[in-house]
Amino acid sequence: CIRDRLQRIEELGKGNFAEVWLCQLDEQDRGIPPYPVAAKVQRADRNGGANDRTDLLREAALMALLDHPNLVQIIGIITKPRDMPVVLLMQLCARGSLDHYLRDIATSGDTIELSFQLTFIADIVRGLEHLANRRIVHRDVAARNVMLDSSYLCKLGDFGLSHTVTEAKEYIRLADELPVRWSAPEVLLEQKSSRASDVWALGCTMHEIMSLGSLPYEECSSSLEVIHQIKSGYLMERHELCSEQIYQELLLPCFSFRPEERPTYPVSYTH
């Protein structure tokens, strides 16, 4: 049983529904030396049961359709025995999440070259463009869901909220728990997600990158305050570490209150 050949080493992170662990996978019976993987598993302290199991299976099925250097790749999924939690096995990105990397830089008092920051943005845009070409809306674009491999290549991950859209309908309407600080107005007010709402979240992620890990709307103390500010037409201000040119040319277009006026990914990237 492959479950028995998976050794947990340490917890890498925990979300509302699942935990991610650094594990060692032993496939020596197939002539493959043991190697590290990231394992996403249902949280033991939740009562989601069958729903959480179904969500992880759906996430695995979606990841199996994706093959791109700027997206976290699936290795496999463990579903047996049935009375045990589903385990989603993914490639391990050695340098961890982008938000932790940025905050570590800020805490150390160091800085990042602008070209490095723009490369991070370009990597994320390439991953999002690949999703859009397959009519997939990510719905949770944020620095915490971007992983860095050993060469500092960004890989967008965590497809737990992702959904496909049809040609007949360019948006989906879902009432899930929302990452409020990264959510577009139409997501917060109408539960409508689309490629354009991913672009808004991309703008928030660019803010995180340029500010070395500051939260979007960091001046707001709660999600309710963020929602109130957005409903009143407030736009996220330029962070002091972000140049006026980058703010005007890259971030601000993503924050149009009219979804159809937000840039497409190639436009964002070519800046």
Side-chain angles (χ1 to χ4, degrees):
C1 174
I2 193 170
R3 191 184 294 268
D4 296 333
R5 301 201 298 270
L6 190 68
Q7 178 188 359
R8 287 192 184 189
I9 299 174
E10 65 174 306
E11 186 178 291
L12 297 176
K14 180 183 293 186
N16 289 337
F17 311 107
E19 302 166 343
V20 178
W21 285 78
L22 167 62
C23 296
Q24 188 89 343
L25 181 59
D26 185 348
E27 293 189 285
Q28 293 190 79
D29 59 324
R30 297 173 53 194
I32 303 173
Y35 59 96
V37 298
K40 186 173 184 178
V41 61
Q42 298 164 250
R43 280 180 56 167
D45 57 351
R46 268 182 54 86
N47 296 318
N51 288 337
D52 286 355
R53 183 182 182 88
T54 300
D55 288 344
L56 265 182
L57 290 172
R58 187 184 59 77
E59 182 176 356
L62 187 148
M63 289 185 72
L65 300 174
L66 304 172
D67 184 14
H68 191 275
N70 297 118
L71 299 176
V72 173
Q73 299 298 296
I74 185 173
I75 292 174
I77 187 163
I78 303 173
T79 60
K80 295 179 180 179
R82 177 77 187 180
D83 59 348
M84 296 286 286
V86 167
V87 182
L88 174 58
L89 301 178
M90 303 169 290
Q91 69 177 132
L92 180 70
C93 294
R95 298 193 182 276
S97 64
L98 179 58
D99 66 330
H100 285 166
Y101 171 77
L102 293 168
R103 287 174 193 147
D104 286 347
I105 293 288
T107 301
S108 70
D110 207 347
T111 58
I112 306 179
E113 294 269 345
L114 176 60
S115 60
F116 215 41
Q117 293 170 302
L118 294 178
T119 299
F120 287 162
I121 292 170
D123 285 346
I124 297 166
V125 168
R126 290 190 191 101
L128 282 170
E129 186 176 11
H130 185 78
L131 293 181
N133 288 340
R134 281 147 185 77
R135 308 192 70 81
I136 294 170
V137 180
H138 188 278
R139 300 182 68 235
D140 200 7
V141 181
R144 66 180 174 277
N145 291 329
V146 175
M147 309 304 294
L148 288 169
D149 73 4
S150 57
S151 63
Y152 293 95
L153 183 72
C154 286
K155 295 175 178 284
L156 183 60
D158 198 338
F159 301 94
L161 294 180
S162 302
H163 279 269
T164 56
V165 293
T166 64
E167 290 189 20
K169 205 168 190 179
E170 291 292 337
Y171 67 88
I172 50 176
R173 193 187 297 270
L174 294 163
D176 295 328
E177 292 188 35
L178 298 172
V180 170
R181 291 178 185 269
W182 291 261
S183 292
E186 68 273 12
V187 176
L188 296 173
L189 305 179
E190 305 173 65
Q191 290 79 52
K192 290 173 67 173
S193 295
S194 67
R195 179 204 58 79
S197 60
D198 275 356
V199 172
W200 177 288
L202 171 65
C204 296
T205 306
M206 288 193 285
H207 164 86
E208 293 181 271
I209 292 170
M210 302 311 300
S211 66
L212 298 184
S214 292
L215 283 176
Y217 305 97
E218 62 180 344
E219 67 277 13
C220 296
S221 60
S222 69
S223 294
L224 284 177
E225 188 178 348
V226 173
I227 294 172
H228 174 75
Q229 293 279 42
I230 291 175
K231 285 174 69 175
S232 66
Y234 172 79
L235 285 176
M236 185 159 48
E237 297 178 354
R238 180 181 66 85
H239 192 275
E240 61 182 2
L241 295 179
C242 179
S243 73
E244 185 67 31
Q245 182 182 5
I246 295 292
Y247 178 74
Q248 290 290 336
E249 294 186 8
L250 283 182
L251 277 69
L252 206 54
C254 296
F255 298 140
S256 172
F257 277 76
R258 295 174 62 86
E260 65 274 13
E261 292 180 357
R262 293 174 204 151
T264 58
Y265 296 124
V267 172
S268 301
Y269 169 56
T270 53
H271 275 80

